[in-house]
Amino acid sequence: MVWLYLLGGLILVLVTLQCLMKIYFGAILNLIMNFIHSNIETVKAKLFDEAISKIKSNKKNDRLEILELGIGTGENFRHFPKGSNVTILDKTDLFLPYLNESIKKNNRNDLNVSKLVVSKAEEMVGIESDSMDLVVHTFILCSVDDYTKVMNQVYRVLKPGGVCIFMEHSIDNENKKRKILQKFIEPLMGDCKFLDMKKVLNSGPYDHLELKKYTVNRSLITFINPVVYGYGSKS
């Protein structure tokens, strides 16, 4: 009978956590993503430098046209080239206050945030084909309905010579204990799913793909490991 009480208590905890996530989702996610990004900042800075150097769609003195998928906490803005035109696509405007806060915090008033498109990433309504030099997405493929459609849309809007930068958390098929943890907490993560991101990204339409793997050495967020990151380009 003891195990029944334990099971009931566990279910109660899970339900309570789910309710709290729904009520305070924006604030909780903001705190979590700030912490995660602060622990991958070094590798992310190197990724942006390398990937941006591969862009061939833009004349040297022109402003880059950048599309970021998911407003999130605006933690990627510090890595955007000076004076870029930025379009943001998100299925909700819930995180807009955190974005404005990030622009001020990182002193990025040079960026021209020209458009906020409220749309699913699978559709990218209102974004023209061959219009973007750079597309950025970090930790969003886990929560879309159809990642294949999203990657096809990214490829569509990229200019020839454009680049997509990505960082995504993945299911850990090499560490059994971590994989069990990931599956245990997945019901608490809302739309977020633990996918084999190496397999997902390899299935994309990019003409050239660079993939790497990174492990965050912080016990509080060990569940996000491995982080699969890199960039894909359109010829």
Side-chain angles (χ1 to χ4, degrees):
M1 290 296 293
V2 174
W3 68 271
L4 287 175
Y5 288 111
L6 291 174
L7 180 61
L10 179 59
I11 291 172
L12 180 62
V13 169
L14 289 173
V15 170
T16 302
L17 287 172
Q18 282 182 320
C19 291
L20 288 173
M21 282 292 288
K22 287 180 180 178
I23 297 171
Y24 301 107
F25 180 70
I28 292 172
L29 189 61
N30 180 51
L31 288 172
I32 293 172
M33 294 312 298
N34 273 323
F35 186 65
I36 289 174
H37 279 276
S38 69
N39 282 277
I40 58 173
E41 186 57 35
T42 301
V43 68
K44 188 167 65 168
K46 291 180 180 178
L47 168 62
F48 270 81
D49 286 344
E50 179 182 350
I52 289 171
S53 73
K54 304 296 183 182
I55 295 174
K56 300 176 181 178
S57 58
N58 186 273
K59 294 179 181 179
K60 194 170 184 180
N61 295 321
D62 286 352
R63 285 174 173 254
L64 279 184
E65 295 292 338
I66 300 177
L67 169 65
E68 178 155 22
L69 307 183
I71 294 174
T73 55
E75 288 296 324
N76 295 323
F77 273 39
R78 70 184 67 182
H79 301 293
F80 290 176
K82 188 175 181 179
S84 297
N85 293 323
V86 182
T87 299
I88 299 165
L89 182 141
D90 204 311
K91 60 185 178 181
T92 175
D93 60 1
L94 177 66
F95 300 104
L96 191 56
Y98 304 109
L99 172 68
N100 294 329
E101 182 182 326
S102 177
I103 291 173
K104 292 178 181 178
K105 182 178 71 174
N106 292 300
N107 194 26
R108 293 312 311 264
N109 291 319
D110 60 287
L111 297 175
N112 176 31
V113 184
S114 56
K115 187 188 293 186
L116 168 61
V117 179
V118 179
S119 170
K120 287 187 174 183
E122 291 90 343
E123 299 166 1
M124 296 197 190
V125 175
I127 301 177
E128 295 181 4
S129 300
D130 303 327
S131 62
M132 296 294 163
D133 300 295
L134 176 65
V135 177
V136 177
H137 61 82
T138 52
F139 306 109
I140 69 107
L141 285 187
C142 60
S143 59
V144 299
D145 295 328
D146 189 328
Y147 57 76
T148 300
K149 285 185 179 179
V150 173
M151 290 189 291
N152 286 337
Q153 285 291 314
V154 169
Y155 190 85
R156 177 184 68 79
V157 303
L158 277 174
K159 297 177 184 177
V163 169
C164 175
I165 295 175
F166 49 79
M167 298 190 84
E168 301 288 348
H169 70 79
S170 180
I171 192 76
D172 195 336
N173 290 319
E174 297 178 4
N175 186 316
K176 291 183 179 179
K177 290 182 179 179
R178 184 178 290 130
K179 186 174 182 178
I180 291 171
L181 173 63
Q182 290 170 334
K183 287 299 182 183
F184 177 76
I185 67 173
E186 194 171 52
L188 303 175
M189 304 293 286
D191 294 333
C192 181
K193 303 172 287 293
F194 287 96
L195 305 173
D196 185 338
M197 281 300 172
K198 184 178 179 180
K199 183 177 179 181
V200 167
L201 290 159
N202 269 317
S203 71
Y206 304 110
D207 300 308
H208 177 75
L209 185 67
E210 290 286 336
L211 278 182
K212 298 178 182 179
K213 188 168 68 172
Y214 180 72
T215 299
V216 181
N217 293 314
R218 293 297 294 265
S219 57
L220 282 175
I221 51 174
T222 184
F223 63 89
I224 72 168
N225 290 318
V227 175
V228 178
Y229 70 101
Y231 58 91
S233 60
K234 178 178 179 178
S235 298

